[in-house]
Every structure is written in structure tokens, then in C-alpha cells.
Amino acid sequence: MPLVYIPPLLKSLTNGQEIVEVSGTNVREVIQAVEAIYPGFAARICDGDGLRSGLAVTVGTKLATNGLREVVDADSEVHFLPAISGG
Amino acid sequence: MAKKRVVTTTINGKETQFLCQPRQTLLEVLRDDLALTGSKEGCANGNCGACTVLCDGKAVDSCLVLAVEAEGVEIETIEGVAPVDGLDSLQDAFLQQAALQCGICTPGFIMSAKALLQEQPDPSEEDIRFYLAGNLCRCTGYDKIVRAVQDAAAARLQV
Amino acid sequence: MASTSYKVIGTRPIRHDGTDKVTGRAQYGADIQLSGMLFGDILRSPHAHARIKSIDTSQAENYPGVRAVVTCADLPEPEQKVADLGEGDVNLYHLCQNVLARQKVLYKGHAVAAVAADDIHIAQEAIQQINVEYEVLPPVLDVLEAMEATAPVLNDDVRTDSMAGEESADPTNVAKHFFYEKGDVEKGFEAAHVVIEREYRTATVHQGYIEPHNATALWNQDGQITIWTSTQGSFMVRQQMADLLQMSESKIKVVPMEIGGGFGGKISVYLQPVAALLSKKSGRPVKLVMDRAAIFEATGPTPGSYIRVKMGADREGKITAAEAYLAYEAGAFPGSPVSCGCMCIFACYDVPHGRINGYDVCVNKPRTNAYRAPGSTNAAFAAESVVDEICERLEMDPVEFRLKNAAQEGTRRVDGVQFARIGMRETVEAIRDSEHWKAPLEGKHRGRGIGSGFWFNVGLKSSVTAILAADGTVSLLEGSTDIGGTRTSLSMQLAETLGIAAEDIKPAVVDTDSVGYNDVTGGSRVTFSTGIAVHNAGLEMRRQLIERAANIWEVDASEVQYENGEVRGPEGKVFTFRELAAKVHATGEPITVKGTSGSENQAGAFGTHCVDVEVDPETGKVEVLRYTIAQDCGTAIHPAYVEGQMQGGAVQGIGWALNEEYVYDEQGAMLNATFLDYRIPTCYDLPMMDTIIVEVPDPQHPYGVRGVGEVPIVPPPAALVAAIYQAVGVRMRELPASPPRLLHQILQAEAVE
């Protein structure tokens, strides 16, 4: 099942749990799955129908390009990080 | 506004007359009134060399020359460097060596290098670096610019 | 050099825009001349921090030759909205205030009003006629001071924002907090044989592009706005303009002129909205060009910073734990790249236990913006300096230390993500095996240092259009503005895909109405991402050519192959690209294709640099004797321009390390806002810059391209301070290591002895 890495600042919402294993086929589903166990999590990650501004999601080693609709496999890791820019 | 002056000068081999305000720099007149926009403004106070032109063969920052000072002077700008057919050896060398990235400093470098090679046809790397120290480039790190000038010097000596 | 045998990739053709650039014909932003054009100038705040009590523009409006005057009143009331610029988001409320100040000015040079006049001299005189009443407030100019509860607060609407929500109830200068943790840092430090903890400081530094910001705008009588400007992102400009003017993007066309350097500093808008408003009010086109002082004082330099690093290693030199605290100056409004700094700081190494805290802090300086690998150079300076001390303590070769700890595919960063295929190890090996590293360095006050660095590189979106001409040439319409030769690297990729010569591609960078959406030219993304779009366009063109040939030969398309620039059918039938192109017009529809990208992202780039210096102990002057850059570049499409990126970025890093800094007085005025006193490297300051291109292909790109533009600026300060230590026994923990600062440290060290 996909592994959601909880951002360290949000561990207070997950009783200190760093990695939460949940089911889901895309990013939206895994977020909702974490929310079901630990309410309040989704509000920190999502804003309306998308990610909160300034946030990006990495699935495995790849930065997602489909936001919440990004596909998540059974053995995927999901990370939430600040969006990177460049100069 | 002070009355405009008539200035008679030679630009790239052609006798030219223009009207200018006394407060206008040569760079401003070249770019805004004579449509010779090849010389660039980078700093307007003589520190970057992007505005380099030759006055009587000498490399100067045209942002530090008043337009009225052009009276009776032979001015060469980047627009006059290429021959009728093809490119000058400096221009060619800059392209061959990939000595430009954004290219904004390139006209200034070519003019300074032209003056250098007229004075010193066979400069050492140190000579080149010293002479061109008044032209700033932020993109290339200067390595390929120096190599281009070396190539151009060699090409000119062979002719 | 490429491992696969490419026909075009890896060669060094003359760049397509070369003739125009060496003859002065190329049209940069400030070169444009339009009929009836007016010239604008901007009135800027003389104070670093003040409330605006009133602005009286009446005298300026009546000044002979003045055609329009604008202030913030001419911009619609901004929304507290965050716009996604693709390459990072921006708060419109703050962007609007930065373009033209509203209730407060927050840095010396902050734009307050603008005029358009018949010539530039009248405009410059007229702005002096605008009367602004200020209530001067105390400025805060130091990042740590700005974090204290007693500091003057710049923005009433800013609270400390973090992933956990708002961390402060009251207005504050601490705009953002980032936190990362991996494993158990305390345990990691306990297991260490040596632990080093140090504090570092860096100064505000500017991108230093030679070409000033510029914008020429026409707000036409039909309500359509055209902007001619030098920019790293024409679509970004369009979006920001639409958001700030609160109008539809379709009413705005951005025409990208040639750009004279950007490095991240020409992405945010400054002049474009102001020029548009002046044009609206005057009914004429208006040109605005910044002067050099305004560029330093009022654009987007990179943050000064305070960074504390603690690192522990065992007896064998394996890192056991690493901790960092980073506070970056955002300038007037939130948005420094401290989050990037946090994620880059230990990225070169496999760190089993780590903790990182990062703070984005407002101070009364210009609002910072991206500068080539934003945030990473500051971080690498600090982390690599600690690494150097650990190596000294363990008596370990710095190359061996890096090889022992190098991040590789699968290494998990402190922020939690695992690396894909990367080239950190390879760049260290390249330095180890280099002539430079093997050459002995002799002489007094000479020293050698190495440093490594990382940058993410981004993917984002691109669109291109490719049009086949009857003579076998292909027009390539791009939206990625060309700041370093990407017209040519993209043409080469298309040529390779089609099997034709690079010279047969005709690239053009076109306006926002003429090509599909393109994200910014930045983030080391164009050769990668627009390259993917170009490759896709090439593949589609091949498919259509196969169909056309099949049609002409009256066979099934499945019997036709495309190979080496030729289309081959059954029974030895063959057309060369040129032959088939010539037949297209008479045999069917024109062949015009598009290509897009946006589904791929980069794995990141690493660089390891080696430098030899000689220090004059009487003046503190550092001479760079020899410099070698090793970088994992994926496949080098055009090696000369890849070398150029490595050399240029490294030289910016050298300037950052040895001389560049904003010098402020106590009132917050920058004292060195000229190229004379803001001292960037000149030709005479440097030796030849040796480059070692290590090709570690990125599998996400069809030709293995890895972005190269940014990472070369990251290692130099670290490498230089390590070399300086070897040369004179002084560890510089503040940048720049300029002569007065280094001399001071040398004398202090001598006094102690």
C-alpha cells in the first residue's frame, strides 16, 4: 500500500507517526485516507480542489505534474514539499 | 531646454550631421536619434563598457562622451565592423568560440578588442585580459571571449 | 562525447542568432523604437521604511512635455491572492505594492510614482516635481534583528506561515517557517567521533545582468495591450499583468525582445504594468528603462543570510548526523528561497539523521528574487565549510570524504525524498582524476580547495510549433526566451530527431499570441523541457512524413520507416527529407506540427569545483590561479554552450565569494549601487576556467539531457574559502571574503599568535 510521508510539522496531527500506510490510487485518495484516520491533515495540504499554494507533491522520486490526480502505485511513497523554482 | 547644436562628425566612415541637446551623451544620440542601437547602455557611468565605441581609433565609453564632443571625430561603432561581404575576424571568432551567451556585452567587447588588436597585433593572454578589463560580462566568465580574441589575433596575423 | 552516436547532438554549430548578435543588429528590449513613443521615469523612495502620507503629482502633470503621471491609485485594488507563476507562487497583494507602493515604502528605491514625457530628460526632471510626504520609520536591516519581537514590522498582513498553519497571531517579519527532520539527530550526534558546529553569514548579492530592465507598452485604443520587453518568461509577464490590472490575459500580448541576461532576476514584473498604465493615460506607446542604481536598489537580489550548521562524523568519516538553521532575508515582502536552501543544504550527502529549520524574514531591502539555483549557494557555503573542518579534524582527504558520503540514486534526503539517477559521485571522481587535482601546488600563501553543490532543476511546461518548408528547412516557433543559446540547443534536438542538419532549422522566439504556453526560461529547464516538446514535435512530423510518403507510393504506412533523415518504403523506395519536403505542397495538406511537454521532471544536478588561490597577506586580496568545474550535464547537446554555462555560473559564484555585497548605511541606503563599487569579476581577475563535462544522462529526456544552467554557481564560495584556509590558515565564515574582510581576519589571527 502507498506510504504517505508526513511532513514533520504535521506530525502533531498524526500522533507523531512519520509514515502512514494507506490505500489509494491517486494523491487525492491517499490524502483523504490519511484524513480519515487523522482529521485536520487534509486542510494543511489542500486548498479547495488543489494543493495549497506553494506546495508540491512527489510520488516516488518524481515530482508530480498532475497535482491531486497524480497516480499512486501500490508501492509508491508520497511526499509533500515546497514547490521549487529556479533562476 | 537649451538650443540644440549641430554636430558634424564621421560615423563608420560616413560624414554625418546631427542635432543634439548639449546634455545628451554620444550613446544617447547614437541609439535614440541615429538608430544605431548596437551600442548598449548598461550603467550610464562608464563602468561596464557595453557602450564602447572607437573615437579616432581609441576605445571609449560613449556614455561618458557628450554628443557635442563628437565634432570632427572619426567614430566607429559595432555597426561598422563587418565588411560588405561576411564578418570581421573578431566577429567570426566570437561565434566560433561561442564567446557570447546573451550577447548584450558583445558589441562593446568587439570594439575594445578591435582597438586592442590595432595597437597590439600579437597580445599575450595577460595583455588581452588587462585591456578588456573595462568590459564586463556576466554570462560567460570571459574564458571563451579571451580565446576568441586570441583566435582573431592569429587570423589577422596570417593575412 | 555522447555515448550514443548522434549526428548533430554533441557538435558545435554556430548559433542561429549569431550574426545579429555580433553585428549589433539583434534587438534587445531597450532598442525598440515606436512611432510616437514617450519615455518614462520612476520616482523612488529615498527612505528604507516610511508611511506615505500623501502624493501630490499636480506639478509634474503640468510640467511641459509630460504626457501622463501614475501612482498606485491607477492600479486596481489588489486582492490578497496567491498567483501560481508556474515557477513558484507570488502574493499579488505584495507584488502590486512592489510595483507601485501603496501605504508604505519598504526599501530605498521602492517605486512610488511614474511619468511619461516627450524625452527621457524631461521625464527625469518631471519626477522631481512630484511631492511625496513621508512619515519616516526606523528600518530593520539585519535578518536576526528582524526576527525579534521588538523589531519594526514591515507588513501588517504578514504572519508566520508554515505547513502547520499560522505560527503567530500578530504581524511579524518572520513570514515563513520550514522544518524537516529525518531519523533521530540527537542519537546521530552521540554516535559521532567529531562534531563541528559553526555560524555563517552571507550578504545581499545581485544577479548583475548587464542589460537593465525595460518595458515598452502600448495600451491601444481597442483595449489591447502590447508589451515589448526583455524577460525570462513572456507568459509569466502576461499572467502577472493580467492579475495586477485585473483583466483577461487575452487582452495582453507580450513580445519578448532579446534579453541581456536574467539569471532569475527578470521573471517578476517591475516596469511592465507601469509602462502599460502610462500608455493608457497618455494614449501613446511608453518606454521605461531602469538605470543601474535602480536595478541594484529596486529589483530582486538574492538574500543575505544567517546559517548555522552542525555536523557529526564517525572515525571513518561517515556522516552520522547533520543539523541546520537557516534565516534568509526576503527583503520587503515574503518569498525568499529559504525552502530551497533547506532542501539543498545537505543534498550532496547521505545523511542518516538530520534536522533543518528555515525562516523567511522580511527586512527593509528590495524584495529578493531568484538568482541561479536560488538559496543553494548560501547553504552550500555553510555546509561545505563544516565538511572541510571535519575533514581537517579527521585528517581525511576532502575527496575521499565526499566519495564516502556522496548521495546517489536511492539516497534519501533530509526532506524525505529519494534521489533518482544523479551524478554527485561522478563529479567528485572527475575532480579526483583531473589534471588540476593531481598537479602539485607550490608557493607561499597558496592553497587548494574543493566544494560540491546541488540544484534541483525543474520541468514545467513548454509548447513549440514546427513548420515544414518546401526546401527541406523547418521553422521552429518557440516561446522560451533565449538567454544563453537555447535557440540552438533546441534546433539541434529537432535536427537530431528529424535526421537533418542543425543549419536547416530556423528557430524563432515568438510572442504570446503566436505559440502555445511556455513556462519561464529558468530553473535549468529549457534544453530539457522545451527539448522534450521539440522532440515530440519532431516525432509527429516524422509520422506525418511517413504517411505522406506512403500516400505517394500508394503503400500502407506500416510498410514505411523513418531512419537517418530518410523515409524508406518497400522495394527500396526512398525519399530524403529534402526530396519529400519538396513534394508535400503538391500532394496534400501542409505539414505543421506541435509539440508540448510538462509531464517530466528532472532528477537534479551536481557540481564539484576545485580552485587554487594565492592570497596576499598584506592586502587580503585573493588571486584565483586555477579553476576546474566538474558537473554532471546529462548529454551535452552543444558542448560549447554547456561549458559556457559552467564557466559563467562559476564566475558569478567567484564574485559572490570574493567581492560582491550590498553595503548599507544605518538608514538603509545602499552605498555601492554602481558597477564600480559593486565589484563583479572582470576579465583581468580570472584565469581560464577548465570544464569537465560528466555525462550522466537523465532517463526522463529522450536524449538524456540534464539541466546545466544553475548548479555551477553553487560550489564556488565553498571551494574558495577552503582554498583560502589552506593558503593563509584563516577560515572565512562571512561572505564575501573581500580584501578588507580577509585582511581583518588575517591580522586578528596574527595578533593571537
Side-chain angles (χ1 to χ4, degrees):
Chain A
M1 285 213 293
L3 298 172
V4 177
Y5 278 65
I6 305 298
L9 281 170
L10 300 184
K11 283 199 307 196
S12 54
L13 289 174
T14 62
N15 288 335
Q17 205 176 337
E18 287 178 12
I19 304 174
V20 178
E21 193 171 2
V22 291
S23 59
T25 60
N26 63 29
V27 171
R28 179 186 290 116
E29 285 177 14
V30 301
I31 292 175
Q32 285 169 347
V34 175
E35 172 74 13
I37 314 172
Y38 298 116
F41 178 79
R44 308 283 6 114
I45 304 286
C46 299
D47 184 13
D49 200 30
L51 288 165
R52 263 185 86 195
S53 82
L55 271 193
V57 55
T58 300
V59 178
T61 60
K62 248 197 87 175
L63 193 62
T65 53
N66 263 325
L68 296 181
R69 294 186 332 277
E70 186 84 1
V71 165
V72 171
D73 294 324
D75 55 358
S76 291
E77 297 181 0
V78 179
H79 299 261
F80 300 101
L81 290 173
I84 301 293
S85 59
Chain B
M1 175 168 79
K3 205 161 161 181
K4 286 191 176 180
R5 310 291 164 88
V6 177
V7 174
T8 306
T9 182
T10 308
I11 301 182
N12 297 327
K14 179 177 160 223
E15 186 177 282
T16 307
Q17 280 196 336
F18 59 79
L19 274 175
C20 69
Q21 298 175 43
R23 62 181 168 181
Q24 284 183 290
T25 63
L26 176 59
L27 178 65
E28 194 188 327
V29 167
L30 286 172
R31 288 178 54 79
D32 293 345
D33 300 333
L34 298 175
L36 293 167
T37 57
S39 307
K40 308 297 179 191
E41 177 179 304
C43 69
N45 53 19
N47 288 311
C48 75
C51 64
T52 306
V53 300
L54 304 191
C55 287
D56 292 334
K58 191 159 181 265
V60 300
D61 289 323
S62 59
C63 69
L64 293 181
V65 176
L66 290 172
V68 293
E69 294 182 77
E71 179 75 32
V73 170
E74 291 220 10
I75 298 173
E76 295 169 78
T77 72
I78 185 68
E79 287 88 349
V81 170
V84 163
D85 176 22
L87 292 174
D88 176 87
S89 56
L90 270 168
Q91 294 169 313
D92 203 48
F94 266 69
L95 291 177
Q96 294 288 343
Q97 282 287 354
L100 57 142
Q101 289 178 30
C102 79
I104 193 87
C105 71
T106 303
F109 266 100
I110 289 176
M111 298 316 291
S112 290
K114 184 164 194 259
L116 164 65
L117 295 182
Q118 272 159 201
E119 262 178 61
Q120 290 180 63
D122 192 14
S124 66
E125 181 187 331
E126 164 115 13
D127 292 333
I128 294 172
R129 287 184 179 279
F130 182 77
Y131 202 95
L132 297 180
N135 288 79
L136 296 180
C137 172
R138 198 54 161 166
C139 293
T140 68
Y142 305 104
D143 180 295
K144 293 180 188 297
I145 291 177
V146 173
R147 291 180 199 277
V149 177
Q150 289 172 327
D151 283 359
R156 284 167 181 229
L157 287 173
Q158 269 174 19
V159 167
Chain C
M1 226 189 157
S3 50
T4 319
S5 58
Y6 293 118
K7 291 242 174 63
V8 175
I9 287 172
T11 63
R12 298 175 184 238
I14 302 294
R15 60 191 287 163
H16 296 70
D17 54 339
T19 301
D20 281 349
K21 298 223 157 124
V22 296
T23 56
R25 291 209 173 97
Q27 292 283 290
Y28 292 82
D31 298 335
I32 189 160
Q33 316 229 326
L34 298 173
S35 168
M37 193 170 73
L38 301 173
F39 296 79
D41 200 8
I42 296 196
L43 178 68
R44 299 180 178 280
S45 166
H47 305 295
H49 195 191
R51 242 177 267 288
I52 298 175
K53 295 178 71 181
S54 65
I55 305 178
D56 178 6
T57 57
S58 53
Q59 281 188 289
E61 285 168 42
N62 295 323
Y63 198 79
V66 168
R67 306 293 166 197
V69 181
V70 301
T71 65
C72 66
D74 294 287
L75 275 169
E77 190 72 33
E79 309 160 295
Q80 264 284 11
K81 179 182 147 198
V82 178
D84 180 14
L85 281 194
E87 217 221 29
D89 54 304
V90 70
N91 182 316
L92 288 173
Y93 186 65
H94 296 155
L95 179 64
C96 184
Q97 290 177 69
N98 201 36
V99 167
L100 283 170
R102 299 187 84 81
Q103 286 100 9
K104 287 176 88 172
V105 287
L106 296 176
Y107 52 97
K108 178 175 181 288
H110 196 160
V112 176
V115 308
D118 293 340
D119 74 37
I120 183 64
H121 300 282
I122 296 173
Q124 288 172 348
E125 286 166 3
I127 58 169
Q128 306 302 328
Q129 307 299 315
I130 300 174
N131 286 313
V132 184
E133 223 186 307
Y134 294 105
E135 179 198 328
V136 181
L137 301 168
V140 59
L141 302 166
D142 174 84
V143 65
L144 294 182
E145 277 175 34
M147 294 173 80
E148 298 191 11
T150 49
V153 174
L154 274 69
N155 295 289
D156 287 330
D157 64 305
V158 170
R159 307 284 183 280
T160 308
D161 185 41
S162 79
M163 246 209 214
E166 269 182 13
E167 291 180 1
S168 71
D170 296 323
T172 172
N173 294 321
V174 183
K176 297 198 189 140
H177 175 210
F178 298 93
F179 178 64
Y180 305 97
E181 201 167 42
K182 180 188 178 200
D184 183 338
V185 209
E186 270 74 39
K187 271 220 183 93
F189 284 125
E190 275 167 38
H193 173 68
V194 55
V195 175
I196 305 273
E197 182 172 13
R198 298 281 184 256
E199 295 176 304
Y200 298 90
R201 286 265 193 178
T202 72
T204 306
V205 158
H206 196 271
Q207 298 86 348
Y209 33 79
I210 305 297
E211 180 206 35
H213 285 259
N214 56 76
T216 303
L218 173 63
W219 193 308
N220 214 346
Q221 272 65 20
D222 61 1
Q224 293 287 129
I225 303 176
T226 306
I227 304 274
W228 294 264
T229 185
S230 303
T231 176
Q232 292 175 243
S234 21
F235 289 85
M236 273 66 258
V237 170
R238 186 177 75 170
Q239 189 184 342
Q240 289 173 81
M241 297 273 298
D243 283 334
L244 290 173
L245 298 172
Q246 290 175 16
M247 52 198 295
S248 163
E249 277 183 24
S250 64
K251 291 224 174 290
I252 302 167
K253 177 167 85 172
V254 178
V255 181
M257 306 294 285
E258 297 296 336
I259 173 174
F263 313 113
K266 287 184 179 159
I267 298 172
S268 281
V269 293
Y270 299 97
L271 300 176
Q272 293 88 346
V274 180
L277 291 171
L278 287 169
S279 178
K280 183 181 188 191
K281 276 187 130 174
S282 63
R284 307 259 291 273
V286 176
K287 179 194 276 189
L288 272 172
V289 182
M290 272 199 203
D291 62 59
R292 185 50 60 176
I295 294 167
F296 280 119
E297 294 183 325
T299 56
T302 205
S305 58
Y306 164 85
I307 303 176
R308 192 171 64 234
V309 171
K310 182 176 174 185
M311 193 182 280
D314 64 22
R315 273 174 214 279
E316 282 73 50
K318 195 90 184 59
I319 297 172
T320 60
E323 187 171 359
Y325 175 101
L326 300 86
Y328 280 24
E329 293 174 358
F333 302 103
S336 80
V338 67
S339 61
C340 301
C342 289
M343 292 191 279
C344 289
I345 191 164
F346 299 131
C348 291
Y349 305 112
D350 182 1
V351 172
H353 304 280
R355 181 192 293 146
I356 303 170
N357 273 289
Y359 294 91
D360 181 43
V361 182
C362 293
V363 295
N364 289 110
K365 295 183 182 178
R367 198 275 195 181
T368 59
N369 231 318
Y371 178 18
R372 215 161 189 165
S376 189
T377 305
N378 315 46
F381 162 61
E384 291 288 277
S385 293
V386 167
V387 162
D388 205 53
E389 288 205 47
I390 288 179
C391 289
E392 186 187 26
R393 199 72 84 73
L394 292 173
E395 289 176 33
M396 192 171 180
D397 180 324
V399 163
E400 284 316 303
F401 180 92
R402 284 171 175 79
L403 288 175
K404 197 177 194 76
N405 291 283
Q408 49 200 17
E409 185 168 6
T411 300
R412 195 175 292 282
R413 298 196 303 260
V414 175
D415 55 75
V417 177
Q418 282 182 302
F419 275 123
R421 180 87 177 88
I422 52 173
M424 166 65 184
R425 169 173 302 276
E426 287 83 341
T427 65
V428 180
E429 285 166 350
I431 290 293
R432 180 197 61 195
D433 300 337
S434 69
E435 289 307 315
H436 186 167
W437 187 251
K438 292 189 247 187
L441 179 64
E442 273 137 25
K444 279 184 76 174
H445 309 303
R446 290 185 169 193
R448 176 172 295 167
I450 67 170
S452 296
F454 166 74
W455 182 249
F456 287 96
N457 297 348
V458 299
L460 302 177
K461 302 176 207 260
S462 292
S463 312
V464 300
T465 307
I467 303 165
L468 179 64
D471 63 356
T473 61
V474 179
S475 285
L476 176 60
L477 306 184
E478 319 159 25
S480 294
T481 54
D482 185 349
I483 44 179
T486 48
R487 266 180 189 91
T488 297
S489 73
L490 294 171
S491 298
M492 291 171 74
Q493 291 184 64
L494 183 58
E496 186 72 51
T497 309
L498 295 173
I500 63 179
E503 292 76 9
D504 285 344
I505 309 289
K506 296 182 37 160
V509 176
V510 298
D511 65 57
T512 52
D513 281 355
S514 306
V515 72
Y517 180 85
N518 277 272
D519 270 311
V520 69
T521 292
S524 310
R525 65 171 294 267
V526 173
T527 302
F528 176 86
S529 183
T530 310
I532 289 172
V534 159
H535 179 253
N536 288 337
L539 291 179
E540 174 59 18
M541 189 172 278
R542 282 165 48 160
R543 196 191 62 73
Q544 291 194 18
L545 287 169
I546 285 174
E547 268 186 18
R548 185 61 57 94
N551 182 283
I552 292 170
W553 290 327
E554 293 176 60
V555 301
D556 196 80
S558 60
E559 297 178 79
V560 180
Q561 275 88 46
Y562 193 107
E563 215 180 293
N564 292 331
E566 290 180 339
V567 185
R568 293 164 187 275
E571 291 152 22
K573 291 192 217 294
V574 61
F575 283 131
T576 65
F577 187 87
R578 271 218 187 127
E579 285 167 351
L580 187 48
K583 294 192 185 308
V584 164
H585 184 73
T587 57
E589 294 178 10
I591 293 186
T592 299
V593 300
K594 60 104 178 147
T596 55
S597 65
S599 309
E600 299 78 12
N601 272 296
Q602 301 199 50
F606 287 86
T608 300
H609 296 193
C610 178
V611 62
D612 293 345
V613 303
E614 181 175 310
V615 179
D616 182 340
E618 292 186 23
T619 62
K621 178 151 193 243
V622 177
E623 194 189 330
V624 178
L625 300 174
R626 187 169 182 179
Y627 202 100
T628 303
I629 305 144
Q631 186 172 320
D632 65 346
C633 301
T635 303
I637 302 293
H638 192 311
Y641 287 98
V642 172
E643 290 157 6
Q645 291 297 316
M646 293 161 73
Q647 293 166 333
V651 168
Q652 285 182 310
I654 291 172
W656 194 329
L658 296 184
N659 253 314
E660 295 176 39
E661 63 174 315
Y662 275 41
V663 179
Y664 280 98
D665 69 15
E666 277 169 24
Q667 282 72 49
M670 184 184 179
L671 296 173
N672 61 333
T674 70
F675 269 136
L676 182 64
D677 295 316
Y678 181 89
R679 179 72 165 69
I680 74 175
T682 72
C683 207
Y684 194 55
D685 296 318
L686 299 162
M688 294 296 187
M689 306 287 289
D690 294 327
T691 55
I692 306 172
I693 295 176
V694 178
E695 290 189 317
V696 179
D698 189 326
Q700 291 196 87
H701 185 282
Y703 298 124
V705 165
R706 195 182 287 273
V708 303
E710 292 171 286
V711 76
I713 201 176
V714 180
L720 281 160
V721 298
I724 289 169
Y725 177 68
Q726 295 300 320
V728 286
V730 163
R731 290 225 179 255
M732 290 303 288
R733 301 203 177 99
E734 268 192 47
L735 292 182
S738 57
R741 292 171 178 277
L742 178 52
L743 180 60
H744 180 74
Q745 296 297 324
I746 290 172
L747 294 173
Q748 279 216 315
E750 280 173 14
V752 165
E753 275 163 27

